[in-house]
Amino acid sequence: MVDDLTKRGPPDGIRINIHEAWELRDWSKHFGCTQDQLKQAVGAVGVMTKDVHAYLKRQGWTTR
């Protein structure tokens, strides 16, 4: 299903869409990493937040 871009709220909590600037900004802030680090994490492990969080922790890139 396509995202409804008229609804701007907190991320859905399950997936990260790095192609939406506001999601990239919000998730980077949430994890305490840079946007480039978040993009690299998504490229490495996919869009699921639990996988991205685990990757960021392994790399030492998250403050969470």
Side-chain angles (χ1 to χ4, degrees):
M1 179 180 273
V2 177
D3 286 340
D4 182 351
L5 299 180
T6 63
K7 295 181 181 177
R8 295 277 170 106
D12 70 11
I14 298 172
R15 292 177 191 84
I16 300 171
N17 182 353
I18 61 169
H19 302 293
E20 294 293 337
W22 64 275
E23 277 202 38
L24 185 59
R25 180 192 66 236
D26 291 353
W27 279 114
S28 295
K29 185 177 179 181
H30 173 80
F31 287 127
C33 65
T34 69
Q35 292 182 10
D36 287 337
Q37 289 169 331
L38 182 62
K39 287 178 185 178
Q40 185 173 347
V42 169
V45 298
V47 299
M48 303 307 286
T49 56
K50 64 180 180 65
D51 298 334
V52 170
H53 184 242
Y55 179 87
L56 291 169
K57 282 184 80 167
R58 282 193 307 272
Q59 299 300 317
W61 293 348
T62 185
T63 58
R64 252 189 98 199

